[in-house]
Amino acid sequence: MLTDYETRLQAYMEGFITPERKERMLQVLAQRTRYAVCVLEDLFDPRNGSAVIRHCDALGIHELHAIENVHHFKSDTQVDLGTAQWLDMRVYRKPSGGGPVSVKARRKALQTASGGRVPPPASQTPAVLASLKERGYRIVATSPHADDDSLPETLDLASGPVAVVFGTEKHGISEEAREAADIFMRIPMVGFVESFNLSASAAIVLHVLSRRIREEGLPWRLEADDAERVLFEWVRRTAPHAESLVQRFDKENGKGS
Amino acid sequence: MLTDYETRLQAYMEGFITPERKERMLQVLAQRTRYAVCVLEDLFDPRNGSAVIRHCDALGIHELHAIENVHHFKSDTQVDLGTAQWLDMRVYRKPSGGGPVSVKARRKALQTASGGRVPPPASQTPAVLASLKERGYRIVATSPHADDDSLPETLDLASGPVAVVFGTEKHGISEEAREAADIFMRIPMVGFVESFNLSASAAIVLHVLSRRIREEGLPWRLEADDAERVLFEWVRRTAPHAESLVQRFDKENGKGS
């Protein structure tokens, strides 16, 4: 539920959004789901992160978790086309802070992670996946080499919501993600190459799941309270000159009033 | 059918390939199809071309047409991982020749194509698509905005093989491709963004088609003669020091003998 302050702020800010824009938001909102959520583990290439952000928006997958372990998660608005603002994106920054990571620091972290003397930075993966499990998600690890596994088309969706984990470009999902996984899933491949690039894997899996979720009579829609809050966030983030509007509203009305 | 010369050359070259390698080739060959072929129209970004090459190999889509109209088609082996050698790739070079296109020349071509005084270079698209039609393919144009259209999951495959055309990153398929199209197909999208990036579109479409073709009892396998020739090409291209081996064989046996 929105607080009284939030309800009034939203009403105020909606005054600055065209009716067509509001209508479009409601239309997209009605197609958003958290029945499948996406988890990106330690991506390296900003193009991949951005591409997945765009896939999620296009497919209505509203919740995207980006875990930093060794690499700094960055996205490129040239690729994501500004879609990040329409998602519930949760970036788990490395403990060392969120600033840009130098090439030198990255190299050192990589050396460290691959068996140097300094202990590798603690993985944030277990905590993120544990918290998803607490919320009722089953953890689906994507892995091209898994044997005993599901396909996107055959994955059990009826038993409850799923959090699909995609690993780093080079090494795939981490040992920690593997341990936390409830289900292993692969995309069938019949060629010489043994993997898709990360953005392609995510596109295929999320497309198939988004389609299946909507077709298989599952409770995929956002709950009313959740949808209300998502709309509030969208209006607050994307109204023209949003920040100044919030300041003006607070000044005129008092934040706590 | 292979000629007598080719049969002997292949037998000679297979002597330099490990049995495991040969076995792997036969395994992949058995999964190759031309029931769906992929057509890329005038791609700009080498990463996209390369990504699609990799998708095609991974999904067993053996035939890939790359049409150059304004842009020069390039692929990046860092992205395609060398998979181009395993495909029947047909690149239609611009009449001006196959050399690298300078930024200046590209700019000029773009200005030209977008309404400058010099007439735009003639599109190669109609000829390529006509020749596919002659071979019995229906042309499927991917378009995010089409209204009266199929989805990858609902596209009619039973009526015969399909050639799926993907257009340039910015402008989608050309007017010429639109005119030649028998079927329009879109990927369902429910977000704010109205398209996937090209590599993601291709991954989704080709994955779904590759899967459906194999499951719907269609005559998707390569014909015996075709498979024989594909294997011959693979052996000839990928044996260690292939070029020297061919030269040595020709010297010892005479090419025409």
Side-chain angles (χ1 to χ4, degrees):
Chain A
M1 285 259 294
L2 297 184
T3 64
D4 182 50
Y5 163 77
E6 287 167 339
T7 307
R8 284 183 297 115
L9 174 61
Q10 179 168 10
Y12 173 75
M13 295 193 75
E14 280 184 11
F16 299 88
I17 289 177
T18 64
E20 294 74 22
R21 183 75 167 169
K22 175 81 187 290
E23 183 51 38
R24 180 86 181 112
M25 287 186 187
L26 292 174
Q27 192 186 18
V28 172
L29 185 63
Q31 293 295 329
R32 284 310 211 221
T33 187
R34 295 188 200 265
Y35 199 89
V37 303
C38 181
V39 182
L40 301 177
E41 197 190 19
D42 216 21
L43 296 201
F44 176 81
D45 184 340
R47 283 192 305 261
N48 280 328
S50 315
V52 178
I53 289 171
R54 182 168 164 189
H55 303 344
C56 284
D57 175 57
L59 294 165
I61 308 287
H62 190 61
E63 194 175 315
L64 176 58
H65 300 257
I67 305 175
E68 294 185 354
N69 286 323
V70 174
H71 306 306
H72 184 62
F73 181 81
K74 270 184 293 197
S75 65
D76 175 343
T77 48
Q78 291 259 318
V79 179
D80 74 32
L81 304 179
T83 47
Q85 66 183 338
W86 303 112
L87 297 180
D88 180 356
M89 258 199 76
R90 308 183 188 183
V91 182
Y92 305 88
R93 296 289 178 203
K94 289 191 292 184
S96 55
V101 176
S102 72
V103 172
K104 204 173 153 191
R106 179 172 281 159
R107 258 196 220 125
K108 198 178 159 192
L110 276 170
Q111 278 167 1
T112 302
S114 60
R117 282 196 194 167
V118 195
S123 168
Q124 303 195 85
T125 300
V128 174
L129 299 186
S131 110
L132 282 163
K133 284 190 179 200
E134 269 167 38
R135 288 171 57 202
Y137 284 95
R138 286 165 304 145
I139 307 300
V140 180
T142 54
S143 167
H145 298 295
D147 287 326
D148 169 19
D149 49 10
S150 305
L151 308 179
E153 287 82 2
T154 60
L155 174 69
D156 166 31
L157 288 175
S159 303
V162 290
V164 188
V165 188
F166 298 93
T168 55
E169 291 88 347
K170 262 212 168 146
H171 304 292
I173 55 169
S174 68
E175 204 41 50
E176 288 85 358
R178 220 172 270 280
E179 274 166 27
D182 298 298
I183 301 171
F184 287 90
M185 181 174 66
R186 68 180 169 86
I187 302 171
M189 273 175 284
V190 295
F192 288 97
V193 73
E194 300 200 322
S195 64
F196 286 99
N197 65 36
L198 185 115
S199 146
S201 294
I204 292 171
V205 169
L206 298 176
H207 165 78
V208 173
L209 296 187
S210 169
R211 183 172 167 83
R212 286 188 56 205
I213 283 168
R214 289 156 212 276
E215 287 193 341
E216 295 179 10
L218 301 164
W220 60 269
R221 288 178 196 279
L222 298 187
E223 289 176 15
D225 270 10
D226 188 10
E228 185 182 63
R229 180 154 295 278
V230 169
L231 183 63
F232 172 70
E233 292 294 341
W234 284 354
V235 169
R236 191 165 65 170
R237 274 183 220 156
T238 69
H241 312 291
E243 226 166 299
S244 324
L245 285 183
V246 174
Q247 282 171 8
R248 188 155 61 158
F249 178 82
D250 286 349
K251 203 170 160 189
E252 286 171 11
N253 296 269
K255 187 161 178 170
S257 74
Chain B
M1 285 257 297
L2 297 185
T3 64
D4 182 52
Y5 164 77
E6 288 167 338
T7 307
R8 285 183 297 116
L9 175 60
Q10 179 168 11
Y12 174 76
M13 295 193 75
E14 281 185 8
F16 298 88
I17 288 176
T18 64
E20 294 74 23
R21 184 73 167 171
K22 175 83 186 288
E23 182 53 37
R24 180 86 180 110
M25 286 186 188
L26 292 174
Q27 191 186 20
V28 171
L29 185 62
Q31 293 295 327
R32 284 311 210 222
T33 187
R34 295 187 200 265
Y35 199 88
V37 302
C38 181
V39 181
L40 301 178
E41 199 190 17
D42 215 23
L43 296 200
F44 177 80
D45 184 340
R47 284 192 305 261
N48 280 328
S50 315
V52 178
I53 288 171
R54 181 168 164 188
H55 303 345
C56 284
D57 174 58
L59 294 166
I61 308 286
H62 189 62
E63 193 175 316
L64 176 58
H65 299 258
I67 305 174
E68 293 186 354
N69 285 324
V70 174
H71 307 305
H72 184 63
F73 182 82
K74 272 184 291 197
S75 67
D76 175 344
T77 49
Q78 291 260 319
V79 179
D80 73 33
L81 304 179
T83 48
Q85 66 182 340
W86 303 113
L87 298 181
D88 179 356
M89 258 199 77
R90 308 182 188 183
V91 182
Y92 305 88
R93 296 289 179 204
K94 288 192 290 184
S96 54
V101 177
S102 71
V103 172
K104 205 173 151 192
R106 178 172 281 158
R107 257 195 221 126
K108 198 179 158 194
L110 276 170
Q111 278 167 0
T112 301
S114 59
R117 282 198 196 164
V118 196
S123 169
Q124 304 196 84
T125 300
V128 175
L129 299 187
S131 112
L132 282 163
K133 283 189 180 200
E134 268 168 37
R135 288 172 57 202
Y137 284 96
R138 286 166 303 145
I139 308 299
V140 179
T142 54
S143 167
H145 298 296
D147 287 326
D148 170 19
D149 48 12
S150 305
L151 309 178
E153 287 82 1
T154 61
L155 174 68
D156 165 32
L157 287 175
S159 303
V162 290
V164 188
V165 187
F166 298 92
T168 54
E169 291 88 347
K170 263 210 169 149
H171 304 292
I173 55 169
S174 69
E175 203 42 47
E176 288 85 0
R178 218 172 272 279
E179 274 166 27
D182 299 298
I183 301 171
F184 287 90
M185 181 174 66
R186 66 181 170 85
I187 302 170
M189 274 176 281
V190 295
F192 288 97
V193 73
E194 300 200 321
S195 64
F196 286 99
N197 65 37
L198 185 115
S199 145
S201 295
I204 292 170
V205 169
L206 298 176
H207 165 78
V208 173
L209 296 188
S210 169
R211 184 172 166 82
R212 285 188 56 205
I213 282 169
R214 290 156 211 277
E215 288 193 341
E216 295 179 10
L218 301 165
W220 61 268
R221 289 179 197 277
L222 299 187
E223 289 177 15
D225 269 8
D226 187 12
E228 187 183 60
R229 181 153 295 276
V230 170
L231 183 63
F232 172 70
E233 291 295 339
W234 284 355
V235 168
R236 191 165 64 172
R237 275 184 220 155
T238 69
H241 312 290
E243 226 165 298
S244 325
L245 284 183
V246 174
Q247 281 170 7
R248 188 155 58 158
F249 179 81
D250 286 348
K251 204 169 158 189
E252 288 170 11
N253 298 271
K255 189 164 178 171
S257 72

